[in-house]
Amino acid sequence: MELTGAQIVIECLKEQGVDTVFGYPGGTILNIYDELYKHSNEIKHILTSHEQGASHAADGYARATGKVGVCMATSGPGSTNLVTGIATAYMDSVPMVAITANVAVNLLGRDSFQEIDIAGITMPITKHNYIVRDVSKLAETIRNAFRIAASGRPGPVLVDITKDVTAAKAVYNKVVPEPIQRKTDEITEDDIKKAIGLITKSKKPFIFVGGGAVISEAHDELKEFVDKVDAPVADTLMGKGAYDGTDSRYTGMLGMHGTKTSNLGVTECDLLITIGARFSDRVTGNAKKFARHAKILQIDIDPAEINKNVVTHSSVIGDIKEVLKRLNEKLSKQNHKEWIAHIMDLKEKHPLRYNQDTLTGPYILEKLYEVTKGDAIITTEVGQHQMWSAQFYQYKMPRTFITSGGLGTMGYGLGACIGAKVGSPDKTVINISGDGCFRMNMNEIATATRYNIPIIEIIFNNHVLGMVRQWQTLFYDQRYSNTNLTDKVDFVKLAEAMGAKAYRIHSKDEVESVLKEAIALNEPVLIDCIIDSDDKVWPMVAPGAAIDEVFSEEDLKNRQ
């Protein structure tokens, strides 16, 4: 049958099983929005307060569900407002399709009103992108975009469609998408054999898990693998929940704000088995001194990650779930009783600590874990609150911790929280924010209230840019250049003005009752938590130092 380009867009979204789109309309994309209106019973559109919020919501939806997230924007500033969200998704390998519209073909290259080369702008931060100038190629392009976004190592794809294409007509025939196949073509028997050899010869193995294990849904295979190797497990920020954070073998996060147990254990191990992690600088510290006593076995879907940041001794390329299945079939049960006992001793000697005398972020997170029984999706912004969320809330399952890792995007969490809740309506979804981050995209509270999306926004309000202040305190002789936020903004009144229920807490004894009430309300809620401006994230590795040079607050006081 013959359809307009706008109709083809909607039919292709329906082909792909898209049930929700996040976006903001404008002139060049009006034809598509007109068709969305006609199909509102099939595809729900969430109008965000800003296009950046739409991109973060699509990202959060994708991370929570494993599906491809979809966002839309008009040309010019509408499309450029998606850029930060697209880059965030790219850095964290999130499957997302961003659909933008542009001026008509005859107006391209003429500096027309709201014309921008969004394909050129996003080329470095997408897996692929397109500009569609011919309506006959539109359906195939959209199908390819979804396939590319979801296959292999996932990532964002941009499809820019000129306005005349959305009005032109072409023959459309429905196509049922083929299932995305797991990447196994590069898994070789020789690589599996080498990996088994390294594991069976190791006396002190350590398993290090990243976001790739979450993406590949390898939770069960990873558990079996850990049991067979008989090794302790650390993770990255992106790897939270891939391995059960309540398991006795779990030692916590690795790296700059990782636990002493993880940092010291990885430094002492003789084999580091790295699963779906890319050895970012925040993990390795001084890369030349990272895991310097160990051979490194890296398992990853992307061959470009092998030997990029850290030189490996062996690697297996392929989908992590499939690689672990093959390793589990061939690996005999190992026994490292003494090594595990040593790591457990480190855990006992070096627990995470915080000030118990006053209201703090860690205390709130521990109470939140207790109240939710760990059965919630936690999203975050970026900063101290993000690190505390990684340290003090325990993640038992994948897709329950959603945060901007690679790009470190302040203003990410609230939009992502909305997207995660839309994608997982039966889960309690809570965004942890600092007051600095909340200012970035706080207008999305209005999105939550517009649709009565029952998210909870918890602000750790220390009236400073906390993580930057921490660095200024430790490394810049307390020169607090532009990090004090001692103004008169009242977040409770602001949230209430946008239609949300709001609370302010100052003390520990208020936390539990407010959290329980907020969850029970089942409506958008903001909780403004007043904490000390000099609370810090401990432990810490100084920039450029080796990870075994990790120090706590007590260590710092002893040095001084």
Side-chain angles (χ1 to χ4, degrees):
M1 56 182 164
E2 195 173 61
L3 299 178
T4 66
Q7 291 171 325
I8 289 170
V9 170
I10 301 304
E11 292 304 317
C12 286
L13 292 180
K14 287 159 61 177
E15 281 179 9
Q16 300 294 328
V18 173
D19 54 27
T20 306
V21 172
F22 304 89
Y24 207 99
T28 59
I29 204 169
L30 272 181
N31 289 333
I32 294 174
Y33 268 81
D34 191 47
E35 290 304 318
L36 266 177
Y37 180 87
K38 298 171 187 175
H39 293 267
S40 58
N41 62 326
E42 297 168 282
I43 299 175
K44 176 168 55 179
H45 180 273
I46 302 293
L47 176 66
T48 55
S49 298
H50 190 284
E51 291 91 351
Q52 187 180 135
S55 60
H56 294 327
D59 176 307
Y61 176 96
R63 296 197 207 208
T65 64
K67 301 176 185 177
V68 177
V70 182
C71 57
M72 288 184 178
T74 195
S75 61
S79 58
T80 58
N81 282 343
L82 295 177
V83 169
T84 297
I86 292 170
T88 301
Y90 181 74
M91 290 291 283
D92 290 343
S93 304
V94 178
M96 185 167 82
V97 171
I99 297 173
T100 57
N102 215 322
V103 298
V105 169
N106 66 323
L107 294 176
L108 288 173
R110 297 174 180 271
D111 293 332
S112 305
F113 176 68
Q114 291 193 333
E115 179 197 357
I116 200 77
D117 179 11
I118 192 63
I121 288 170
T122 59
M123 191 174 292
I125 55 168
T126 50
K127 273 189 80 175
H128 199 75
N129 64 27
Y130 302 89
I131 179 165
V132 184
R133 298 178 173 89
D134 181 349
V135 69
S136 67
K137 297 178 180 178
L138 178 58
E140 180 187 3
T141 300
I142 293 173
R143 291 166 187 150
N144 285 340
F146 275 86
R147 178 181 54 79
I148 292 169
S151 61
R153 181 179 183 172
V157 177
L158 178 125
V159 180
D160 191 36
I161 310 167
T162 61
K163 184 170 184 178
D164 51 336
V165 166
T166 68
K169 290 189 174 182
V171 173
Y172 164 81
N173 293 304
K174 182 178 179 179
V175 175
V176 177
E178 293 183 6
I180 300 293
Q181 299 299 320
R182 293 184 177 273
K183 186 176 179 182
T184 60
D185 54 307
E186 293 185 78
I187 306 174
T188 69
E189 284 302 310
D190 187 50
D191 287 343
I192 294 290
K193 186 177 179 180
K194 287 178 182 176
I196 296 288
L198 284 172
I199 293 166
T200 54
K201 290 175 184 176
S202 170
K203 304 297 182 187
K204 298 187 292 183
F206 210 112
I207 295 172
F208 172 45
V209 182
V214 173
I215 293 166
S216 70
E217 308 284 359
H219 179 76
D220 293 337
E221 290 77 11
L222 178 61
K223 176 69 169 70
E224 182 182 349
F225 181 71
V226 170
D227 290 344
K228 283 202 163 188
V229 177
D230 192 27
V233 182
D235 58 18
T236 67
L237 195 65
M238 306 310 302
K240 292 286 170 190
Y243 188 77
D244 184 352
T246 65
D247 189 278
S248 62
R249 286 196 182 95
Y250 178 69
T251 63
M253 196 163 60
L254 182 69
M256 179 172 283
H257 292 295
T259 64
K260 280 193 172 185
T261 304
S262 292
N263 286 4
L264 296 175
V266 166
T267 303
E268 293 178 23
C269 75
D270 64 7
L271 175 66
L272 182 63
I273 306 169
T274 302
I275 303 173
R278 59 187 178 83
F279 296 115
S280 86
D281 55 300
R282 288 297 174 100
V283 161
T284 63
N286 185 330
K288 293 179 180 178
K289 296 181 179 180
F290 178 74
R292 53 189 177 273
H293 304 300
K295 292 182 178 180
I296 295 177
L297 167 62
Q298 187 173 2
I299 302 169
D300 205 284
I301 198 168
D302 188 353
E305 292 299 341
I306 308 302
N307 298 321
K308 185 176 84 175
N309 295 322
V310 170
V311 176
T312 63
H313 293 77
S314 188
S315 62
V316 186
I317 306 299
D319 180 88
I320 286 165
K321 189 181 186 77
E322 293 299 318
V323 172
L324 291 179
K325 279 182 182 178
R326 298 188 192 190
L327 287 172
N328 288 337
E329 287 172 2
K330 297 180 181 295
L331 184 63
S332 58
K333 181 79 169 68
Q334 306 295 298
N335 188 324
H336 302 108
K337 185 177 179 181
E338 291 183 9
W339 170 240
I340 294 291
H342 171 65
I343 296 299
M344 295 304 106
D345 185 52
L346 287 177
K347 278 181 72 171
E348 191 172 333
K349 287 180 179 176
H350 303 296
L352 291 170
R353 294 187 175 94
Y354 64 90
N355 182 2
Q356 300 281 345
D357 298 330
T358 187
L359 181 65
T360 64
Y363 177 82
I364 296 165
L365 285 157
E366 286 189 338
K367 273 295 173 187
L368 183 62
Y369 179 79
E370 181 184 311
V371 168
T372 61
K373 299 179 173 61
D375 186 26
I377 295 174
I378 304 298
T379 67
T380 81
E381 307 290 347
V382 172
Q384 288 180 316
H385 62 276
Q386 178 190 33
M387 295 297 104
W388 287 326
S389 298
Q391 292 175 329
F392 291 96
Y393 194 99
Q394 298 177 72
Y395 302 93
K396 296 176 281 190
M397 296 296 293
R399 304 195 181 281
T400 55
F401 182 62
I402 296 174
T403 193
S404 171
L407 196 63
T409 306
M410 292 176 69
Y412 164 82
L414 182 50
C417 188
I418 290 169
K421 182 62 180 179
V422 170
S424 303
D426 296 330
K427 298 283 285 188
T428 298
V429 186
I430 301 158
N431 186 49
I432 309 297
S433 177
D435 49 324
C437 289
F438 181 62
R439 294 159 190 267
M440 294 274 185
N441 280 329
M442 59 188 174
N443 49 3
E444 298 305 336
I445 291 289
T447 304
T449 58
R450 180 184 298 120
Y451 297 97
N452 195 31
I453 301 170
I455 60 163
I456 299 172
E457 172 82 2
I458 300 179
I459 303 172
F460 291 173
N461 189 351
N462 54 9
H463 296 96
V464 295
L465 298 177
M467 187 60 85
V468 185
R469 181 183 176 90
Q470 177 165 333
W471 280 51
Q472 288 172 331
T473 301
L474 296 175
F475 309 119
Y476 289 86
D477 295 326
Q478 300 180 28
R479 293 187 296 275
Y480 300 122
S481 176
N482 293 285
T483 48
N484 291 321
L485 303 176
T486 51
D487 51 31
K488 297 181 180 179
V489 178
D490 187 322
F491 295 143
V492 168
K493 289 180 179 178
L494 189 142
E496 290 173 342
M498 288 191 278
K501 178 75 172 176
Y503 302 85
R504 179 173 290 115
I505 59 178
H506 294 85
S507 63
K508 292 170 67 175
D509 58 10
E510 298 173 277
V511 174
E512 184 173 345
S513 61
V514 170
L515 290 177
K516 287 181 176 178
E517 186 173 332
I519 293 169
L521 282 171
N522 199 38
E523 64 181 77
V525 176
L526 178 143
I527 306 172
D528 187 21
C529 307
I530 309 303
I531 65 171
D532 191 89
S533 60
D534 282 313
D535 282 355
K536 294 180 176 61
V537 179
W538 302 110
M540 183 176 185
V541 177
I547 59 170
D548 59 327
E549 296 175 55
V550 57
F551 62 94
S552 64
E553 186 173 23
E554 293 76 18
D555 295 330
L556 188 64
K557 288 177 180 176
N558 290 336
R559 288 181 199 170
Q560 293 170 343

